[in-house]
Amino acid sequence: MSEVTSEKVKVIVLLAPPGGGKGTQAQKLVERFGMTHISVGDVLREEVRKGSALGGQVKEIMESGELVSDELVAEIIKSRLTGKAKSNGFILDGYPRNVAQAGYLTSITDQMLVRVINIAVAEDQVVKRLSGRRFCGKCGKIYNIYFSPPAVTAVCDDCGSELIQRSDDTEEVISERLRVYAQQTRPVLDYYRSAGSYFEVDGNWDPGNVHEEVAKVVGAISG
Ligand code: AMP
């Protein structure tokens, strides 16, 4: 009797400190490999923006730089991962953020092909990236006042709208987010290092160079 085989769904877990470029790299992978992007932070920010019950529950926690509860993000992840992948698998951006979440992810992906890419970035870099980050309130274009400023201060080059700052990109909240990262998320790197499906890229370069390194890992994955 011949065996029926089906290709496993790929899951790329992007890890990085806050401001490490997870969102930017995820977007580039979506464009290049047609993968489905799951950003827990984006999902939560959208709920806050809509003023939903869930948004009301998480707003203050997010604004303080702390993590929202594992149960709450588990539901977001599970419903999306078990939904239909558009095509070439999923990119997880911002999940897992602690070892308990990593264990949960392992338990729901045993039939999937999971690969973890850590984007390593120096702390002084991430502080500048976060504190300098601005985005257009209308078209969403992202700037950095240190590295890629708009032509006119606080005005979008493309649509002329006002640039705004994420409420958790202020200096006080940035230091809390980095503290939470060091305490809760860094141990996730060891969890995956010992599991043997872990890759690391140097994230201190510009986004295009980092993308080439990340894409090499993604392109080489086979089940
Ligand atoms: P991010 O956009 O990934 O920087 O996430 C913004 C905020 O959303 C974080 O500071 C947390 O408050 C919350 N958040 C995002 N992902 C998670 C997660 N996996 N677990 C708990 N909270 C999260």
Side-chain angles (χ1 to χ4, degrees):
M1 204 165 77
S2 66
E3 216 177 47
V4 179
T5 55
S6 67
E7 222 180 283
K8 287 184 169 182
V9 173
K10 285 178 200 154
V11 179
I12 305 293
V13 175
L14 282 185
L15 298 176
K22 295 184 294 290
T24 305
Q25 293 303 323
Q27 203 47 52
K28 288 182 181 293
L29 290 177
V30 168
E31 284 159 21
R32 182 147 167 188
F33 295 101
M35 302 176 81
T36 302
H37 180 195
I38 307 174
S39 161
V40 175
D42 284 351
V43 171
L44 296 174
R45 273 186 292 278
E46 178 59 15
E47 294 296 325
V48 172
R49 198 193 58 77
K50 285 191 305 200
S52 70
L54 172 60
Q57 235 177 303
V58 299
K59 185 171 187 288
E60 263 184 43
I61 304 171
M62 291 178 76
E63 283 175 354
S64 71
E66 304 292 325
L67 298 182
V68 309
S69 81
D70 290 348
E71 291 72 26
L72 206 149
V73 288
E75 265 183 51
I76 293 173
I77 286 296
K78 189 167 185 192
S79 64
R80 283 169 174 75
L81 272 184
T82 50
K84 227 170 127 232
K86 260 195 231 126
S87 49
N88 296 323
F90 296 99
I91 305 163
L92 289 192
D93 155 9
Y95 192 94
R97 288 280 241 274
N98 60 31
V99 172
Q101 293 182 7
Y104 177 73
L105 182 63
T106 302
S107 75
I108 60 168
T109 52
D110 59 336
Q111 300 302 316
M112 301 179 179
L113 189 65
V114 179
R115 292 291 179 269
V116 178
I117 304 176
N118 180 41
I119 306 169
V121 187
E123 185 161 324
D124 58 339
Q125 269 285 324
V126 302
V127 171
K128 266 196 145 176
R129 288 190 196 179
L130 291 169
S131 59
R133 180 160 63 182
R134 301 287 185 277
F135 64 97
C136 173
K138 192 164 176 209
C139 75
K141 185 169 178 177
I142 296 173
Y143 298 83
N144 186 292
I145 58 170
Y146 305 114
F147 308 122
S148 51
V152 179
T153 305
V155 175
C156 180
D157 292 345
D158 287 359
C159 71
S161 300
E162 193 191 352
L163 300 187
I164 46 186
Q165 188 173 32
R166 247 172 73 166
S167 58
D168 59 353
D169 277 346
T170 57
E171 268 177 40
E172 202 188 8
V173 185
I174 290 169
S175 41
E176 183 57 14
R177 288 163 71 199
L178 292 176
R179 193 193 63 75
V180 169
Y181 172 79
Q183 195 183 52
Q184 302 198 44
T185 311
R186 212 190 288 278
V188 173
L189 308 189
D190 291 327
Y191 175 96
Y192 284 120
R193 271 193 197 108
S194 57
S197 49
Y198 175 88
F199 302 83
E200 191 158 298
V201 303
D202 183 348
N204 292 296
W205 302 95
D206 71 77
N209 286 337
V210 177
H211 170 65
E212 290 311 319
E213 295 304 306
V214 172
K216 268 188 219 158
V217 178
V218 175
I221 293 172
S222 59

